[in-house]
Structures are given as C-alpha cells and as structure tokens.
C-alpha cells in the first residue's frame, strides 16, 4: 500500500463515520504549463496531445478504484477539462487536447462500470467550469448567437458526446452547431479542414452514456459579444475557439479579485443544462464560491452563499431541475486564503462567519430562515400592480424608452440653447452697430461746432 493511499483511507474512514459521502477528484490539474499536473514522463511524451496519456489515465483510475473505492461514493475523473485546454495556444492543439480528455474520462468510467460498480456502486463524472453567458447587447441577434455559441463550446463540447441532447439523441458526437461553425471558420481562413477531430466507432460506443451525474463548477456570469478574428489578431494573440469576447457589467457587485456576484446566473445555467439534456441525470454543483479578504466576518461570502443557494432552490422547485447537491469552494484557506470557509493559522482552524450561515441553510434544507423576518400570510399579501408587472416583463423596452426620452430631452435642450445663443449674438451685434453709429454722429457734430485752428 502506498503511503499516500493510506493517508486518504484514514481521512475517508473518518468522513464515513460522520455519515458523509465524500467526492474525490482523481485529476485536479495545476492549470499551469508545462506539466498541468501530469507526471514528467507523460508530459515528455506529449501530454494531453498524445493518446498514450489517455491509456495511462485509465491505469491511474484503476489504481484509485482499487485503493479507495470502498470509501468513495462520488468520483470526479477530471476537474474542469474546459479550462485545461486554455493553456494550449494553437487552436488545433486545444481541440485535440479536449478530444483526448473526453476519451480519458470515458475509459475511466467504462472501467468502473465493468469491474467495480457491482461492488462499489459509486457514481463517476467529470466537472465542467460552467459560468453563465449573457448577451452583452440583448437587442442584437449577433450577441445572442455568440452567447449560445459560448455555452456550446464551454459545456456542449463535453456533454453532447456523452449524453446527446433531448432533440438529438445521437451520442458520441460534438454539437452540430459547433462543427458547422468551425467548418465555416476554416473556409474563411483558407484552412484545409475543421480543426475539430472525429470519434471512431469504438470511441463513440465508449462515450455513449459515460456519465453518472452532471457536475458543474459555477462562480459568476459574463457578458458575451461576438469577436470576429482577423489574421492580424490571430498572429498577435490566439483567439478563443468560440470567437467571443467576454466582458463584465460594471454595475454588478464584485469581489476584490474582480469576480462579479450574479446569483441569477446560476439558475440560468442550471435551466440551460436541464433543457438541453433533460432531467434524467442528477446535477451537482461541485464548486461555487467567492474570494473575501475578511479573516472572520466574511460578509461578502455570506451574501454570495445566501443569494446563490436561493437561486439554486428556485431552479429545483420552480424550474424542475434535478439538482441533487451543492458544494462550496473551499473548506480551508491554507492555499487560497481568500476562499476558505475556515481560516488556518499555526495548524489551527477557525470557522468564519459564513460557516454558521451555511450550517443554518443546510439545517433548513436549502432555505435561509431568519427570525427577524416572517413570511406574509396570504390575506396580508398586497395585490399585484399590472403596471409594475408589465414594466418588469418589458425591462429592456422600458430602459430603451427611458434612454430615448433622455436623449430627446437633451437634444431639445441643445436646440433651445443654440437658438438663445444666436439671438443673443444678434442682439449683441445690433448693440455694437448702434453704438458705432452714435459715436460717428457725435464725432461729426463735434467737428462742425469747433472752429478750425490756424
């Protein structure tokens, strides 16, 4: 037995005594070049560009199942493969790396299904970074299309080959919209073919249904607009595969590290996944959190936790999303001081204020119970205002109308200012002419009255 596996067995045993079901991540990459958390020999042989890494990952997964499978109920094979590929500067390399990461996960899942599931009964998935994408300008169709394309490249690229979609039952294929877009893009740049690889028949069979639950890591929401690349921009800086520009709304509250707090984005992304893939598989939010500089009174995290969990509850109860879990990131602040629920100093841990809130929310099954606020009875509820409802449903139109009204008022004020200014100028010019004529008359009169000097 390896020393490392002995340590993890002890930790998992203690968690099991507390009736907790741990979730273990096999591969948590460092997201930094050159190794990405891979062993040196694997990196030297090509890393995720090489199929040998796919085979090696299957062997590594077998070791994890053998040593720790008795204590683990939920496995994450690879954490955020859609962020791992960002390290590659070449577009073709990014697609190949994503391709091999998918195959590595599928092999690990099939291995557990064949040899370990009957005994261990664990669930196996891979976790995707899943921020919501909102069109930067909702009035432009190009922005709406770009936001949808962003989600397909971020999530659909990995989930479609494994699950298919509600409308397209064929599994083992990348999203059709994604392939069409890349083929058109290749034509624009004179490339011989699309950089998106194709799965073999055997690979499609391995991929089909190789997911026990959908794992999403959600933190924030981004504004998305199209960013059509040119040859010049591609040479200076590699463009993202989806050709989208991501922005942040300056009116959104944000943390010291610039992470926007947008609670409704979590509900939006959960609903999008539910509508595209159905509710057969459970969804688990495997990571969500925000940086907070406070060492004890982490009020920003408290607000984040309360508001994001409220949106998750809405997705579950109102939208019918099959949401089965929510994990805060992260427990200790030893390696990321701003993110931990517990502060660690000199090998001692101290709970921050958000822990008490988290405990209360868990005790009330996901809802925040405040003794200071009591829900209104039905008879005490105010009647709905039709005008307010209309304004809420048509917020973009109201904002646009308000902007148009303000612009019209400013133009009218400008016209009035110009008219008054011209009138004053004419009046001033007339006064000058009258003064000049009066001065000439006075001068002529003085010359007539005075005798000539000899």
């Amino acid at each position: 037995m390896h020393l490392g596996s002995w340590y993890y067995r002890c930790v998992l045993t203690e968690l099991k005594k507390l009736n907790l079901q741990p979730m273990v991540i096999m591969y948590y990459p460092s997201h930094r070049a050159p190794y990405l958390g891979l062993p040196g020999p694997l990196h030297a042989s090509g890393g995720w560009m090489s199929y040998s890494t796919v085979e090696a990952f299957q062997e590594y997964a077998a070791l994890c199942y053998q040593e720790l499978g008795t204590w683990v109920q939920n496995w994450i094979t690879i954490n955020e493969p859609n962020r791992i590929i960002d390290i590659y500067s070449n577009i073709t390399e990014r697609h190949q790396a994503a391709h091999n990461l998918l195959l590595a996960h599928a092999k690990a899942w099939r291995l557990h299904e064949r040899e370990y599931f009957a005994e261990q009964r664990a669930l196996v998935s891979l976790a995707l970074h899943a921020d919501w994408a909102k069109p930067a300008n909702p009035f432009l169709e190009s922005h709406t299309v770009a936001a949808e394309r962003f989600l397909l490249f971020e999530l659909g690229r990995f989930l479609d080959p494994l699950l298919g979609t509600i409308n397209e039952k064929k599994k083992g294929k990348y999203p059709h919209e994604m392939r069409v877009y890349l083929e058109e893009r290749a034509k624009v740049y004179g490339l011989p073919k699309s950089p998106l690889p194709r799965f073999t028949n055997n690979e499609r069979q391995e991929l089909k249904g190789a997911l026990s639950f959908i794992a999403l890591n959600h933190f924030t929401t981004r504004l998305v607009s199209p960013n059509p690349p040119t040859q010049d921009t591609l040479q200076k800086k590699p463009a993202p595969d989806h050709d989208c520009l991501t922005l942040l709304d300056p009116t959104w509250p944000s943390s010291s590290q610039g992470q926007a707090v947008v609670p409704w984005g979590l509900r939006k992304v959960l609903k999008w996944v539910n509508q595209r893939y159905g509710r057969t598989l459970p969804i688990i939010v495997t990571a969500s959190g925000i940086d907070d500089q406070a060492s004890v009174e982490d009020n920003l995290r408290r607000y984040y936790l309360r508001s994001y969990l409220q949106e998750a509850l809405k997705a579950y109860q109102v939208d019918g999303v099959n949401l089965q879990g929510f994990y805060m990131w992260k427990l200790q602040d030893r390696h990321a001081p701003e993110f931990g629920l517990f502060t660690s100093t000199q090998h001692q841990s101290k709970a921050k204020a958000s822990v008490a809130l988290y405990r209360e929310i868990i005790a009330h099954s996901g809802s925040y119970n405040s003794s200071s606020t009591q829900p209104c009875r039905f008879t005490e509820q105010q009647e709905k205002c039709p005008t307010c409802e209309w304004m809420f449903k048509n917020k973009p139109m109201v904002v646009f109308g308000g902007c148009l009204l303000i612009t019209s008022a400013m133009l009218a004020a400008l016209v009035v200012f110009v008219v008054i200014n011209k009138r004053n100028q004419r009046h001033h010019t007339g006064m000058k002419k009258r003064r000049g004529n009066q001065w000439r008359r006075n001068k002529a009169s003085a010359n007539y009255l005075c005798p000539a000097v000899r």
Side-chain angles (χ1 to χ4, degrees):
M1 182 192 301
H2 296 288
L3 181 61
S5 62
W6 174 83
Y7 169 78
Y8 284 116
R9 283 187 178 185
C10 293
V11 173
L12 294 171
T13 301
E14 293 300 317
L15 290 174
K16 198 167 186 178
K17 290 179 181 178
L18 297 173
N19 293 323
L20 298 176
Q21 295 184 355
M23 179 177 291
V24 175
I25 300 174
M26 294 183 188
Y27 174 47
Y28 194 95
S30 61
H31 293 193
R32 292 190 299 270
Y35 295 113
L36 295 176
L38 292 173
L42 278 182
H43 172 261
S45 64
W48 287 112
M49 295 300 299
S50 173
Y51 191 77
S52 61
T53 305
V54 176
E55 297 172 330
F57 188 82
Q58 184 181 24
E59 297 176 5
Y60 167 65
L63 178 64
C64 292
Y65 297 145
Q66 292 168 9
E67 297 291 334
L68 306 175
T70 306
W71 295 271
V72 178
Q73 298 299 315
N74 298 290
W75 288 101
I76 296 294
T77 56
I78 302 169
N79 185 67
E80 297 189 350
N82 50 347
R83 292 285 70 81
I84 298 173
I85 61 176
D86 291 343
I87 198 68
Y88 296 97
S89 58
N90 183 277
I91 293 178
T92 304
E93 289 182 353
R94 287 202 291 269
H95 286 293
Q96 188 61 50
H99 193 77
N100 288 336
L101 284 161
L102 258 175
L103 295 176
H105 161 77
K107 283 188 174 295
W109 194 93
R110 292 295 173 195
L111 175 67
H112 185 273
E113 180 190 43
R114 288 192 310 266
E115 301 182 15
Y116 300 96
F117 180 76
E119 180 182 353
Q120 299 176 1
R121 297 286 174 177
L123 303 179
V124 183
S125 183
L126 79 168
L128 297 173
H129 191 103
D131 288 340
W132 177 243
K134 179 187 177 183
N137 187 341
F139 299 103
L140 294 179
E141 184 181 359
S142 60
H143 286 228
T144 303
V145 171
E148 183 68 17
R149 185 170 68 246
F150 179 89
L151 293 171
L152 287 175
F153 274 77
E154 284 286 289
L155 303 178
R157 180 209 301 253
F158 294 92
L159 293 178
D160 274 31
L162 298 169
L163 303 177
T165 65
I166 290 180
N167 299 324
E168 181 66 40
K169 296 297 183 180
K170 294 181 180 179
K171 303 174 184 177
K173 291 185 177 181
Y174 290 111
H176 174 72
E177 305 93 328
M178 179 180 174
R179 184 170 292 281
V180 170
Y181 181 79
L182 290 174
E183 288 174 353
E184 293 176 351
R185 187 188 189 204
K187 293 178 182 178
V188 171
Y189 292 107
L191 301 176
K193 63 177 182 177
S194 168
L196 193 64
R198 292 185 180 273
F199 297 108
T200 65
N201 291 332
N202 290 336
E203 289 170 347
R204 288 197 190 98
Q205 293 302 319
E206 277 197 328
L207 288 165
K208 288 180 180 179
L211 208 64
S212 306
F213 62 95
I214 300 174
L216 304 175
N217 298 345
H218 176 85
F219 296 90
T220 188
T221 293
R222 304 181 186 279
L223 298 178
V224 175
S225 66
N227 181 31
T230 62
Q231 291 291 352
D232 294 336
T233 56
L234 281 174
Q235 291 174 1
K236 294 178 182 178
K237 184 179 179 180
D241 300 343
H242 43 65
D243 291 338
C244 294
L245 181 66
T246 55
L247 309 165
L248 289 179
D249 189 331
T251 64
W252 290 342
S254 60
S255 67
S256 59
Q257 293 186 11
Q259 179 182 327
V261 182
V262 193
W264 49 262
L266 173 59
R267 182 182 178 185
K268 290 281 189 180
V269 74
L270 290 173
K271 191 174 180 180
W272 186 89
V273 171
N274 188 70
Q275 290 175 343
R276 186 170 180 87
Y277 304 106
R279 61 188 315 274
T280 302
L281 287 183
I283 299 176
I284 298 178
V285 178
T286 43
S288 186
I290 193 169
D291 59 288
D292 192 324
Q293 300 292 331
S295 58
V296 178
E297 295 296 328
D298 51 347
N299 293 323
L300 177 60
R301 183 176 293 107
R302 284 165 56 87
Y303 170 74
Y304 179 97
L305 182 59
R306 184 189 302 113
S307 56
Y308 272 64
L309 279 173
Q310 285 176 351
E311 294 299 318
L313 191 62
K314 291 177 186 177
Y316 176 75
Q317 292 185 340
V318 179
D319 302 329
V321 176
N322 188 10
L323 182 63
Q324 297 296 321
F326 184 97
Y327 287 78
M328 275 294 290
W329 195 84
K330 55 197 290 277
L331 188 64
Q332 295 283 355
D333 65 357
R334 188 173 303 163
H335 301 295
E338 299 86 4
F339 282 91
L341 292 171
F342 289 81
T343 180
S344 302
T345 54
Q346 299 179 349
H347 304 288
Q348 293 182 349
S349 296
K350 182 179 180 181
K352 298 179 182 178
S354 54
V355 174
L357 173 67
Y358 201 13
R359 184 185 297 114
E360 183 177 354
I361 292 174
I362 293 172
H364 292 88
S365 301
S367 61
Y368 175 66
N369 183 33
S370 176
S371 58
S372 60
T373 59
Q374 297 294 334
C376 297
R377 295 178 182 177
F378 181 77
T379 56
E380 296 173 346
Q381 292 180 353
Q382 297 180 354
E383 294 183 2
K384 293 183 178 180
C385 172
T387 305
C388 297
E389 285 188 344
W390 182 88
M391 292 180 66
F392 183 78
K393 292 179 180 178
N394 299 275
K395 284 190 291 184
M397 186 183 299
V398 172
V399 173
F400 178 75
C403 294
L404 189 61
L405 183 63
I406 294 172
T407 304
S408 302
M410 293 178 66
L411 286 174
L414 181 62
V415 170
V416 172
F417 173 77
V418 171
V419 171
I420 294 175
N421 189 44
K422 286 186 176 181
R423 184 179 297 174
N424 290 338
Q425 287 180 353
R426 286 197 298 268
H427 178 73
H428 183 67
T429 303
M431 289 290 294
K432 288 179 66 177
K433 287 183 179 179
R434 287 194 293 271
R435 288 176 182 173
N437 293 335
Q438 183 66 34
W439 181 80
R440 283 192 292 271
R441 284 195 298 269
N442 293 340
K443 184 176 181 181
S445 176
N447 290 338
Y448 176 77
L449 294 173
C450 294
V453 179
R454 295 180 179 179

